[in-house]
Amino acid sequence: MITLIESIESKICTLIESKISIVGSKVIMALTGACLTMFILIHLLGNMQLYAGRDIFNSYPELLRNFPISLWFARILLIFTFISHISMAVYLERKNKLSRIIQYNNELIPIGSSFASRTMLYSGFVIIAFVLFHLIHLTWKCFYVQNPNLDLYSLMIVSFRNPFITIFYILAQISLFLHLSHGFSSAAQTLSLTRNKLAKNIRLFGFWFAFIVTILYISIPVSILLRVIHD
Amino acid sequence: MINPKIPNGPIENKWANYINNSKPINHANRSKYHIIIVGTGLAGASAAASLGELGFRVSSFCFQDSPRRAHSIAAQGGINAAKNYKNDGDSVWRLFYDTIKGGDFRAREANVYRLAQLSVKIIDHCVAQGVPFAREYGGLLDNRSFGGSLVSRTFYAKGQTGQQLLLGAYSALNRQISAGTVKSFPRTEMQDLIVVDGHAKGIVARNLITGELRAYTADAVVLATGGYSPAFYLSTNAIGCNVSATYRAYKKGAFFANPCYTQIHPTCIPQSGEHQSKLTLMSESLRNDGRVWVPLMHNDHRSAEQIPEQERDYYLERKYPSYGNLAPRDISSRAAKQVCDDGRGVGPGGKGVYLDFSNAIRRVGKSVISARYGNLFDMYIKITGENPYDKPMRIYPAVHYTMGGLWVDYDLMSTVPGLFVLGEANFSDHGANRLGASALMQGLADGYFVLPNTIAGYLNQIKPGLIKDNDLRITESVDTSREYIRRLMMIKGTKSPDYFHRELGKIMWNDCGMARTESSLRRALSEIPKIREAFWKDVNIPGSDMEFNQTLEKANRVADFLEFSELLCLDALKRNESCGGHFREEYQTIDGEAQRNDEEFCHVAAWEYKGLGNEPVRHQEQLKFENIHLAQRSYK
Amino acid sequence: MNLRNYTLKIWRQKDKFSPSYLDTIQVKDISPDMSLLEMLDVVNNHLITINKEPIAFESDCREGICGACSIVINGIPHGKERGTTACQLHMRHFEDGETITLEPWRAEAFIPIKDLVVDRTAFDRIQQAGGYISVNTGSAPDAHSMLIHKNAADEAFDAAACIGCGACVAACKNASAMLFVGAKISQLAHLPQGDPERKRRTNAMVMQMEKEGFGSCSNTLECEAVCPKEISTKVIAELNWEFIRSINN
Ligand SMILES: Cc1cc2nc3c(=O)[nH]c(=O)nc-3n(C[C@H](O)[C@H](O)[C@H](O)COP(=O)(O)OP(=O)(O)OC[C@H]3O[C@@H](n4cnc5c(N)ncnc54)[C@H](O)[C@@H]3O)c2cc1C
Ligand code: HEM
Ligand code: FES
């Protein structure tokens, strides 16, 4: 069994090496990353409706459920991009580790890179962990089985009154910020949109984009905690 | 008298006639010929690529880790070509004339004319290869002017022309390597030339990583191993530049021509201390916009900006009003030495003159100057810690180029049949002084266009593949080289090779440098053997010869410099005249210019080796000036 | 002049089969006008006189153009001065008494030779795979038969300024050679001469780069920061573009 998996794995790797190469693999990362970023934006729009009050917010999932085919299509697409993004990330990371097996004695001192850019894998893992938690928490509502009739709005309020959940949520958002603040311009570079003089601006834009998205996401639990949003 | 085998006919047609009368090798037979090319500079790389394209089997050697690092990479200013794109009256004839005159009438007319003719095709070829020469807004190539010429014919790529041209040749070489016609041997240093029955049949070379010595046999050997400036220890050359390949070929019977013709470049960054390992050139192109001056007063210790205009001596403009700051190198260098000897030099030790850009910056603005010379200015800042945008640069002459080299005929073949010599390693085109931007031109002309057309003449006369690697005479050569290296390793003395090299350099610079006299040369000739003896007693090479051993590499080269320098001084001593870069104080005009002696010395001196300790024999090749009238050089 | 003293910590390694270790060497009376390599010359000359193995390091032009010198100095390839090669780095940039760590380029594609010297022929093989324009000697048309926009020529030049030292690889957490490969691809992509072979070239060079074992690009921009010729990561974007364009090939 293990040998079978290994042989399949090595076949896939050779296929990627010969057809896609490390450059193409990064293009896949960038494309899937861009899709995920779009999802993050759409998801954010949905979340922002919390500020519009209970009724509007509660009607939003209803709205989605009215289009079951599109919804499933989107879900499958999302899962697919997620898996592609993660598997490419792991594939490249493994390759990259192999390109310098014996390290320097003194660690390299970064002079051009940002913290975010060096920690993409870690911020990525925090994001997965968060996504899983998020699904368990708000989609499958595993923590609230006693209470099946809780509407989404109340669920939010109940959850984020819990400081542990809020803190974890905020930490996850910070990871997302790190990931996106580098990821945005990185994807632009990988997709070669930075061939002109705009590269610096794109980097700046990416940073602020990530910052605003994160602030908006974080604003929700914080507003709930500070009772700006209340029952 | 040795015969350069110059084709007949009027000078304009010699090369064309030569090609028309030559017999190319049948395409199907070319791969039977194996040609060794030592050196991957402009000359070597271009030759290897072109011969590979023709279908010969080529092996290419260099001691660096990659062909791309050959010393040609360091050339800054540009490459000449008689394109007359500027409509300022340039022509093949004028380039020919300037080169002969610049060389102080000590070069061979036929070779120089061919060089001028080929210069045009070099630019075409390099552009086609993707060399990014500087361009004008209209999309056409830009030119600048260089020392020793009144027209603008120098093509350039910022201050990195040599790099761009070499990368072009390197890419052509790579194409042939990937096509399988050329095999590349980086980090492999030639130890000896293999001569069988009077013909060059291969080389012995040492793998610098493993230390392995082995023979490589071939049907012809091409040396493109560059110049020997580091005989002076300090020079603008890369520290790996050496005379070993050509000197060992000389010991195997190739004549060495005009070793005393060395060029001192006027614009280098002055030495800062004993520790200095090399000097850095500031491209001559700087003299297009920079003005050279020293204080009028002796021992003036004020800083440059405190010295008012009327107390400055723009000595080049004063002495040579028509060429001004663009006077040729030998003349500018000597002028700098004169003012410094006069006690008017600037900077530590009074060994420097100013190269001032303030006028130019005022005239065209800092941004234009920075676009033209930005990288040179940056280099200057890095080395000296001073900013030439605010303060004038300090410069001083330094050894830069060696016009001498192995003697070659019109075919670029040395006196050993089957041994061809290209680029700076040969002696042919620059006479007693090289004009700026013509070394690159010569290297590429030799490699791209001359050798591929002349080598067939030799190959047609021989049967390919005659010598096998296991031939007794071949294994003997390897043994001799092994024995030589073993002797070096066995000395086990106490001093580093650098120590002896530096000692040699001091003698060479002081006694055989910018100004030479009979007595200084005799002194050098008596001192050099002493250092050589001390070297063979007291040098130490730690480690083994069967591994990567840089001390051994160095010692190997220094050993050759220690023998070769004697030849250089001897040649300088026997040439009782001043010409170009060879300035004998006894022979000068009243105003201190070089005084040639055309009656007795209008010839090439080609030296034949007669064994260590025996005086080599001086042969002559008479130079005939049929197209240009011999005249005293004037740049006034 | 005020001479200075330093403690050197140097990566020593006899050959590729031997393990490496950090050697500590004290050096005295160093002039601030010396270059780092000249300081090493002083150390080596001393080691030779006491019959110890000198430190192997590579250099040739010593003016920042040949790309031979290759030392990671205190954790930064070519040292902390921007746009400077190791050979151009002068001791005036180091404090008296400072400890200076010197290490070779580290990457699987760069096989150790000795001490600070590594084998960079992987770079040559990438260039051999396609870093050229196929034009035979003698077949070129007049140089002015083709107009090239000044900007294009300048951009090609900026990329072509690469000296092939490998600092980009040494600095990259992935030991990626994208800046090096991008520089050549960008140079030729900007010029009309390079157009006919652009797809083949990109594919061949990228495949060879992968085969040599260089890592992928994470766009951390470390390479651009250490590049002694300050080649911009724009060339990587251009490489990516050429790669994307060549997909339907
Ligand atoms: C700083 C500087 C700036 C210059 N600027 C200009 C300029 O602007 N314009 C101009 O026209 N000229 C210029 N020159 C001169 C010009 O660069 C050289 O004359 C020319 O490049 C020499 O080329 P080459 O091919 O003959 O030899 P090199 O480029 O010196 O190549 C020599 C080759 O031989 C190999 N080699 C040597 N010995 C051995 C051995 N024993 N075994 C194996 N391989 C060996 C080396 O590895 C190398 O590949 C400049 C020179 C310097 C020093
Ligand atoms: C919503 C989630 C995510 C978004 C929006 C996202 C977005 C992006 C983007 C835009 C990039 C830049 C691509 C490029 O450099 O071309 C990127 C890179 C990366 N992502 Fe994600 N990502 C997400 C989740 C993840 C997860 C779960 C992982 C898991 C490990 C991950 C790991 C990485 C890594 C390692 C990189 C850098 C790859 C490299 O540069 O070599 N990402 N991501
Ligand atoms: S030695 Fe040539 S770049 Fe440093």
Side-chain angles (χ1 to χ4, degrees), chain B residues 50 53 64 66 85 124 127 130 139 141 170 175 187 239-240 277-278 382-383 494 496 540 547 550, chain C residues 14 38 45 48-49 57-58 60-63 66 83 92 114 124 136-137 142-144 148 162 187 193:
Chain B
S50 304
E53 284 162 13
Q64 289 94 344
S66 161
Y85 282 161
D124 299 341
V127 165
L141 293 163
Y170 165 73
R175 177 167 162 247
R187 286 201 208 268
I239 55 170
S277 60
K278 71 154 282 180
K382 268 171 207 153
I383 292 172
T494 61
S496 70
N540 185 29
E547 63 176 2
Q550 291 175 313
Chain C
K14 194 168 165 44
E38 283 165 350
N45 278 320
I48 292 172
T49 51
F57 68 92
E58 207 149 15
D60 200 21
C61 74
R62 297 215 174 176
E63 54 184 61
C66 75
R92 64 179 82 94
K114 185 173 187 174
D124 290 316
N136 279 5
T137 307
D142 184 87
H144 270 182
I148 299 178
C162 168
Q187 176 202 341
Q193 300 93 302

Side-chain angles (χ1 to χ4, degrees), chain A residues 5-222:
Chain A
I5 293 178
E6 269 174 5
S7 85
I8 292 176
E9 190 187 320
S10 87
K11 281 222 176 69
I12 294 178
C13 286
T14 347
L15 196 75
I16 297 180
E17 265 166 27
S18 63
K19 292 276 179 263
I20 306 182
S21 85
I22 40 182
V23 182
S25 311
K26 271 295 295 209
V27 172
I28 296 180
M29 294 248 19
L31 288 173
T32 51
C35 289
L36 294 173
T37 311
M38 287 308 290
F39 163 73
I40 298 259
L41 268 182
I42 293 169
H43 191 292
L44 178 67
L45 283 180
N47 286 9
M48 284 297 106
Q49 298 179 50
L50 201 70
Y51 290 106
R54 181 186 298 266
D55 293 340
I56 292 186
F57 186 70
N58 279 342
S59 67
Y60 160 59
E62 303 290 323
L63 185 81
L64 292 184
R65 268 183 217 115
N66 285 342
F67 302 96
I69 297 179
S70 325
L71 185 63
W72 274 108
F73 181 75
R75 278 183 179 156
I76 289 169
L77 192 74
L78 190 62
I79 291 171
F80 180 75
T81 41
F82 233 111
I83 290 176
S84 318
H85 190 81
I86 296 170
S87 34
M88 276 299 161
V90 173
Y91 167 77
L92 284 177
E93 186 66 22
R94 266 179 38 184
K95 255 189 119 76
N96 293 343
K97 279 270 143 351
L98 286 180
S99 62
R100 183 180 294 126
I101 296 168
I102 301 176
Q103 293 288 329
Y104 293 97
N105 273 301
N106 268 26
E107 253 183 57
L108 286 174
I109 304 208
I111 56 171
S113 57
S114 60
F115 175 76
S117 72
R118 295 190 299 274
T119 52
M120 287 298 274
L121 190 69
Y122 310 107
S123 52
F125 277 131
V126 176
I127 295 174
I128 309 189
F130 172 72
V131 168
L132 289 178
F133 172 80
H134 196 65
L135 288 174
I136 293 168
H137 172 211
L138 294 178
T139 310
W140 301 319
K141 303 179 188 156
C142 296
F143 305 147
Y144 308 101
V145 274
Q146 320 87 313
N147 216 336
N149 292 331
L150 211 58
D151 69 339
L152 200 56
Y153 189 86
S154 318
L155 188 62
M156 298 290 279
I157 307 263
V158 174
S159 310
F160 293 123
R161 292 265 155 88
N162 177 339
F164 293 109
I165 290 183
T166 308
I167 286 171
F168 179 53
Y169 188 97
I170 290 176
L171 284 180
Q173 294 310 320
I174 290 174
S175 289
L176 180 68
F177 163 72
L178 287 174
H179 205 83
L180 270 185
S181 71
H182 174 68
F184 190 94
S185 57
S186 179
Q189 168 86 352
T190 306
L191 299 176
S192 55
L193 308 174
T194 44
R195 283 172 293 135
N196 41 36
K197 302 222 159 55
L198 292 178
K200 277 226 162 62
N201 300 343
I202 290 187
R203 244 169 261 159
L204 217 62
F205 181 84
F207 177 88
W208 286 111
F209 169 80
F211 187 76
I212 291 167
V213 167
T214 313
I215 289 293
L216 290 178
Y217 267 114
I218 291 180
S219 74
I220 292 167
V222 171

Side-chain angles (χ1 to χ4, degrees), chain B residues 76-77 134 142-144 156-160 283 285-286 288-290 357 360-361 363-377 389:
Chain B
Q76 301 172 346
D142 193 16
N143 290 131
R144 61 183 169 202
Y156 66 100
K158 280 214 179 131
Q160 281 148 264
S283 166
S285 61
L286 290 171
N288 269 316
D289 285 302
F357 291 89
I361 292 176
R363 199 177 62 239
V364 296
K366 194 170 160 178
S367 60
V368 174
I369 293 296
S370 145
R372 283 185 195 156
Y373 314 111
N375 62 327
L376 296 171
F377 278 34
Y389 291 104

